[in-house]
Amino acid sequence: MAKSKIAYFCQSCGFESPKWLGKCPSCQQWNTFVEEVIEKGGSQAPAWKPASTSQQRANKPVEISAITYSEEHRLPTPDKEFNRVLGGGIVPGSLVLIGGEPGIGKSTLMLQLALNMPGQKVLYVSGEESERQIKMRAERLPAPHPEGGVKNSGLRNPEDLQARPSAGGCYILVETSTQNIFKQIEALEPDLLVIDSIQTLHSAHIESTPGSVSQVRECTAELLRFAKETSTPVFLIGHITKDGMIAGPKILEHMVDTVLQFEGDRHHVYRILRTIKNRFGSASELGIYEMMGEGLREVSNPSEILLSHRDTPLSGVTISATLEGMRPMLIETQALVSASPYGTPQRTATGFDTKRMSMLLAVLEKRCGFRLGVKDVFLNITGGIRVEDPAIDLGLAAAIISSHEDIPIPFKTCFAGELGLSGEIRAVNRVEQRIAEAQKLGFNQIFISKYNLPASGQDKKRMDLSRYNIDIKIVSTIEEVFSLLFG
Ligand code: TYD
Ligand code: MG
């Protein structure tokens, strides 16, 4: 029996210490250290033993111009939203982490992908559900892609492998030990591996329980080695803890190539797949899905679903032209300002940062003289979507004032501008894309910042607003916006 070794791990950031500490020196959190038994068992065979390690080749520095590469080949998936967040398809040998709260639909998303990969052999490893449960779920999901290699819902057991070893398809393995998983992988040789979830795996090299920092780290490291050595893409599903961190320990985030977050309000049907980190593409992309009775449906035109189609204008409702990643999106923003029945006014924001809301209210109070300090203010971004684009400021400010004054904003009006502390409307990025989207959806006017226009000395041709047949209102301060809107 190998001698067991004990270490203490910070549950928040994964910092390792030989003795217990009250405060983590890495992330400064208190009381986060937990004892974990780590046992480097000398007798066990390594989980993933790549052929090349035996040669112990030492790398030499190479001048960058001398490095050659071929245009990396990406594996497109039938899911366009998924391709978008990955930056154009799956990169061979990449390790992708998909985080999200329990019950949000991570398993559904990945199983749907596994079932629909055309001509690929996918191994879906589940440590959470039984084969029957997965089969039942698969039966509910939409029919596999017509040109895909998956037939009649495609689920097979690894034992059937001998019959048709080269065919594509989706294989299910219910297993939690990494040693056994790698054994099955060697026999099956899948083109794609999905792990549901990383917190349920355990490696025989580490004694501590599945889901602990040292286990999660070791299992991810083994899968990382496997992905890089064999160029097989690996998707890891990871649960998010209450405070929003993927797998508790942040350590996972820097080990993997791409971190995607699946989020949304469980009471709404829309789900957002957001890129948090991507070594192979933009980190601000967004995919939108609708959770249906039969799985997830891609939403390719988000603006149309995020706008409500009402006939009479209401006070406190505005439309903002936002941009998520490369995609413009028109979103309905709502505000409700009412007299506070109690001494302390309430401020609640759904889908928007509360601190930023306080800032907007302070600017409106100080620069425009609205007495909002004694009012309850509620903000809501429809569809259960969280928006980080600062261009939404102007639309929200207009909604707050519209509700406060009880005057509706004219129909077919939208906004794109950031609000500065002095009440100035600041420029936003890619304003032309926002204007084009507003025009496409039949809006009559859009408010944008003066600072988005090229300065007088600059090339005027760079931005030609005359080619849009939408009324573009150029504003520089919040006061100007209100005199234009409410006279
Ligand atoms: P699941 O993928 O199990 O979530 P996670 O793996 O993130 O924990 O999703 C579970 C939820 O999704 C569950 O509340 C039911 C709902 N759901 C549907 O609405 N339609 C479907 O077709 C499926 C499979 C699930
Ligand atoms: Mg699940």
Side-chain angles (χ1 to χ4, degrees), residues 63 82 87 120 132 158 175 179 203 206 216 229 252 254 260 277 280 306 326 329 331 374 378 393:
E63 201 194 347
F82 203 73
Q120 303 286 322
R132 281 191 55 234
E175 180 61 74
Q179 257 87 351
S203 164
I206 302 262
V216 166
E229 292 290 334
L252 266 185
H254 69 250
L260 305 179
K277 159 186 170 178
F280 313 111
L306 295 173
M326 301 297 281
M329 231 166 39
I331 297 191
V374 293
F378 305 93
D393 285 358

Side-chain angles (χ1 to χ4, degrees), residues 103 106-108 124 128-129 137 196 237 239:
K106 303 179 294 297
S107 305
T108 310
Y124 186 100
E128 301 200 330
E129 287 162 295
R137 187 198 289 263
D196 184 6
I237 293 179
H239 293 291

Side-chain angles (χ1 to χ4, degrees), residues 298-418:
E298 302 162 37
V299 175
S300 45
N301 190 356
S303 299
E304 278 177 11
I305 54 147
L306 295 173
L307 299 179
S308 53
H309 305 277
R310 58 169 72 84
D311 315 321
T312 46
L314 285 178
S315 68
V317 178
T318 55
I319 313 290
S320 294
T322 68
L323 202 69
E324 287 290 345
M326 301 297 281
R327 181 158 60 164
M329 231 166 39
L330 292 188
I331 297 191
E332 185 172 306
T333 43
Q334 306 176 332
L336 182 69
V337 179
S338 67
S340 179
Y342 308 109
T344 33
Q346 288 191 61
R347 267 83 214 273
T348 315
T350 315
F352 188 70
D353 182 24
T354 329
K355 288 207 184 86
R356 192 139 187 104
M357 171 191 188
S358 307
M359 191 280 277
L360 289 185
L361 294 175
V363 171
L364 291 176
E365 179 131 11
K366 184 100 180 169
R367 306 286 164 202
C368 306
F370 292 106
R371 303 240 314 119
L372 295 164
V374 293
K375 298 288 175 81
D376 284 346
V377 182
F378 305 93
L379 292 187
N380 182 28
I381 295 184
T382 52
I385 287 180
R386 187 167 54 87
V387 178
E388 278 158 8
D389 183 5
I392 201 168
D393 285 358
L394 185 55
L396 281 174
I400 293 168
I401 298 307
S402 160
S403 174
H404 182 263
E405 298 289 300
D406 207 12
I407 305 174
I409 304 273
F411 246 174
K412 306 257 174 220
T413 301
C414 67
F415 301 86
E418 186 184 343

Side-chain angles (χ1 to χ4, degrees), residues 109-406:
L109 179 75
M110 291 322 293
L111 186 60
Q112 212 167 311
L113 182 84
L115 287 172
N116 290 314
M117 282 304 288
Q120 303 286 322
K121 204 190 289 175
V122 185
L123 179 61
Y124 186 100
V125 180
S126 178
E128 301 200 330
E129 287 162 295
S130 68
E131 285 166 17
R132 281 191 55 234
Q133 275 175 306
I134 299 168
K135 175 78 183 178
M136 271 161 60
R137 187 198 289 263
E139 291 291 323
R140 290 172 59 185
L141 297 179
H145 215 246
E147 71 253 30
V150 191
K151 284 160 204 100
N152 49 41
S153 94
L155 294 181
R156 298 193 199 149
N157 279 321
E159 283 71 39
D160 305 341
L161 166 69
Q162 281 77 12
R164 289 175 61 200
S166 62
C170 177
Y171 294 82
I172 302 298
L173 175 64
V174 176
E175 180 61 74
T176 55
S177 150
T178 53
Q179 257 87 351
N180 294 344
I181 292 171
F182 287 124
K183 220 177 279 166
Q184 294 299 332
I185 286 175
E186 261 171 63
L188 185 68
E189 295 185 342
D191 302 312
L192 191 78
L193 179 65
V194 178
I195 304 285
D196 184 6
S197 65
I198 186 70
Q199 278 101 344
T200 58
L201 292 197
H202 67 90
S203 164
H205 295 261
I206 302 262
E207 192 77 342
S208 60
T209 52
S212 62
V213 174
S214 48
Q215 273 295 2
V216 166
R217 184 153 72 183
E218 174 64 22
C219 295
T220 311
E222 286 174 12
L223 288 162
L224 180 71
R225 250 172 288 151
F226 162 72
K228 300 297 167 203
E229 292 290 334
T230 61
S231 283
T232 310
V234 178
F235 289 91
L236 304 176
I237 293 179
H239 293 291
I240 276 186
T241 55
K242 275 179 245 92
D243 42 8
M245 275 200 286
I246 286 179
K250 272 274 190 204
I251 42 160
L252 266 185
E253 289 199 12
H254 69 250
M255 287 171 80
V256 301
D257 297 308
T258 303
V259 180
L260 305 179
Q261 191 159 316
F262 205 38
E263 56 187 41
D265 194 326
R266 243 196 282 177
H267 307 292
H268 282 83
V269 289
Y270 299 113
R271 300 281 184 275
I272 307 236
L273 189 62
R274 203 185 276 278
T275 324
I276 307 273
K277 159 186 170 178
N278 194 355
R279 285 191 184 142
F280 313 111
S282 154
S284 54
E285 281 301 344
L286 199 86
I288 305 185
Y289 295 89
E290 188 177 355
M291 180 60 102
M292 319 267 282
E294 58 284 349
L296 292 155
R297 185 181 73 86
E298 302 162 37
V299 175
S300 45
N301 190 356
S303 299
E304 278 177 11
I305 54 147
L306 295 173
L307 299 179
S308 53
H309 305 277
R310 58 169 72 84
D311 315 321
T312 46
L314 285 178
S315 68
V317 178
T318 55
I319 313 290
S320 294
T322 68
L323 202 69
E324 287 290 345
M326 301 297 281
R327 181 158 60 164
M329 231 166 39
L330 292 188
I331 297 191
E332 185 172 306
T333 43
Q334 306 176 332
L336 182 69
V337 179
S338 67
S340 179
Y342 308 109
T344 33
Q346 288 191 61
R347 267 83 214 273
T348 315
T350 315
F352 188 70
D353 182 24
T354 329
K355 288 207 184 86
R356 192 139 187 104
M357 171 191 188
S358 307
M359 191 280 277
L360 289 185
L361 294 175
V363 171
L364 291 176
E365 179 131 11
K366 184 100 180 169
R367 306 286 164 202
C368 306
F370 292 106
R371 303 240 314 119
L372 295 164
V374 293
K375 298 288 175 81
D376 284 346
V377 182
F378 305 93
L379 292 187
N380 182 28
I381 295 184
T382 52
I385 287 180
R386 187 167 54 87
V387 178
E388 278 158 8
D389 183 5
I392 201 168
D393 285 358
L394 185 55
L396 281 174
I400 293 168
I401 298 307
S402 160
S403 174
H404 182 263
E405 298 289 300
D406 207 12

